[in-house]
Amino acid sequence: ALVIIVGLGLGGFGIANEKRWGYVLAVVAAVLQLGALVAIFGFDVFRGTIIINLIFDAALVALLLHPMSRDYQRIQFRHESALWRTDDRPFIVEFFHPGSIYSRPVSINEFSGSYAQRIPFVRTFFDYADLRLPGRLPGSLEYAGFRLLYHLNDPKRWDEVVSFLGASYFRAVGRNQRYGGSARGLALDSGGPGPEEFPDFVEFWLGKPEAGAKTITFHALLDSPSVAGAYTFVLTPGDEMIMDVQSTLFFRTRVANVGLAPLTSMFWFG
């Protein structure tokens, strides 16, 4: 049991930090846990709450072993292609490739006091390992999200400080910290009798920081069938990550429950 717990924990840590070994370790630990449940409980595994654990473990194994998931984990951003890396700026930006469960395109722009411009998808920004790709990717392809890096723990190393990937999810860390729960831009109808609605951040505008800046500002457009929203984030890395967020929401329909500044919803109620 201890081996499985350690394996799942380390595997999750590796996946969260985009390490390929984390994916392999998580698969092995999930398969071991699935086998352990069946070996210990036998046919009783299909009774009570044990079946819930079994379904979760089976779904985890299926997701991790799915060819699309395996292929997606092999696509890595080339660090030398990061936005602003050659401009001697305190922050740089790396982008996430679309694919797997991240199929919603996200438009990304950069701006300064004198210009604003779209950042097009560039195939050569990514290392595809030995994956077979079509000769040409669609010209309309966009990124799935982005992450900001900063000299947080070591002046000679770029550390990820915030990541936006999937729906309106984002997460941030302070100095000498590890990722924990994610936050969301907005929650709609969570924990109610009907289905929950998940708005998406569909476009970002990244403000190019001045040399020596301690903060970075970026804007986001949130969208869903029931609401549209304009967000401004001001990020200040340090011992404690400070993120000032301002938002204006425009509701298209009546919503029963609205969650402001929600955290990860990976539970039934809380």
Side-chain angles (χ1 to χ4, degrees), residues 155-177:
K156 298 181 180 179
R157 186 183 72 224
W158 291 104
D159 297 307
E160 180 179 327
V161 293
V162 69
S163 170
F164 283 77
L165 178 65
S168 68
Y169 284 93
F170 61 95
R171 57 185 187 172
V173 291
R175 185 171 290 118
N176 296 320
Q177 296 178 358

Side-chain angles (χ1 to χ4, degrees), residues 8 11 13 24 26 52 94 106 111 135-137 193 211 213 217-219 227:
L8 289 172
F13 170 79
V24 176
I52 298 175
E94 295 185 351
V106 178
F111 72 91
R136 204 171 170 185
L137 295 177
T217 299
F218 51 95
H219 310 287
V227 66

Side-chain angles (χ1 to χ4, degrees), residues 184 186-199 224-227 251 253-260 262 265 268-269:
R184 289 195 283 165
L186 190 68
L188 299 178
D189 291 334
S190 299
E196 182 174 356
E197 184 175 320
F198 287 85
S224 79
S226 299
V227 66
F251 286 90
T253 61
R254 182 182 177 85
V255 177
N257 297 308
V258 178
L260 302 178
S265 61
W268 286 353
F269 292 97

Side-chain angles (χ1 to χ4, degrees), residues 15 35 45 54 56 72 77 79 82 87 108 119 130 136 139 147 168 178 183 196-197 223 227:
I15 292 175
V45 78
L54 181 66
F56 176 81
Y72 183 75
F77 188 85
H79 301 302
D87 295 342
I108 301 179
I119 301 174
D130 57 354
R136 204 171 170 185
R147 63 178 188 166
S168 68
R178 301 294 185 186
E196 182 174 356
E197 184 175 320
D223 191 41
V227 66

Side-chain angles (χ1 to χ4, degrees), residues 23-177:
Y23 167 80
V24 176
L25 189 57
V27 170
V28 173
V31 170
L32 287 175
Q33 181 166 322
L34 184 61
L37 280 174
V38 176
I40 293 172
F41 295 102
F43 287 107
D44 289 337
V45 78
F46 299 103
R47 301 175 184 173
T49 59
I50 302 175
I51 187 63
I52 298 175
N53 293 331
L54 181 66
I55 293 173
F56 176 81
D57 291 335
L60 177 60
V61 172
L63 175 62
L64 292 173
L65 291 179
H66 193 283
M68 183 182 295
S69 179
R70 294 201 310 269
D71 290 346
Y72 183 75
Q73 291 294 330
R74 299 170 70 184
I75 303 174
Q76 300 292 318
F77 188 85
R78 299 182 186 274
H79 301 302
E80 65 272 16
S81 299
L83 182 67
W84 307 326
R85 191 179 185 95
T86 60
D87 295 342
D88 192 26
R89 304 291 167 154
F91 296 86
I92 61 174
V93 187
E94 295 185 351
F95 305 106
F96 293 111
H97 198 285
S100 185
I101 61 174
Y102 307 113
S103 58
R104 180 70 183 260
V106 178
S107 299
I108 301 179
N109 311 270
E110 69 164 325
F111 72 91
S112 70
S114 59
Y115 73 91
Q117 63 183 7
R118 176 177 171 269
I119 301 174
F121 180 89
V122 180
R123 176 173 173 169
T124 55
F125 282 0
F126 297 91
D127 177 5
Y128 292 90
D130 57 354
L131 295 175
R132 294 184 178 180
L133 300 176
R136 204 171 170 185
L137 295 177
S140 59
L141 201 61
E142 302 276 11
Y143 298 107
F146 71 94
R147 63 178 188 166
L148 288 171
L149 293 91
Y150 178 80
H151 293 304
L152 184 64
N153 300 301
D154 187 333
K156 298 181 180 179
R157 186 183 72 224
W158 291 104
D159 297 307
E160 180 179 327
V161 293
V162 69
S163 170
F164 283 77
L165 178 65
S168 68
Y169 284 93
F170 61 95
R171 57 185 187 172
V173 291
R175 185 171 290 118
N176 296 320
Q177 296 178 358

Side-chain angles (χ1 to χ4, degrees), residues 193-233:
E196 182 174 356
E197 184 175 320
F198 287 85
D200 295 278
F201 283 128
V202 297
E203 190 163 4
F204 289 92
W205 291 262
L206 309 176
K208 187 173 184 178
E210 298 292 337
K214 300 298 183 182
T215 64
I216 184 170
T217 299
F218 51 95
H219 310 287
L221 173 63
L222 179 136
D223 191 41
S224 79
S226 299
V227 66
Y231 284 68
T232 294
F233 298 86

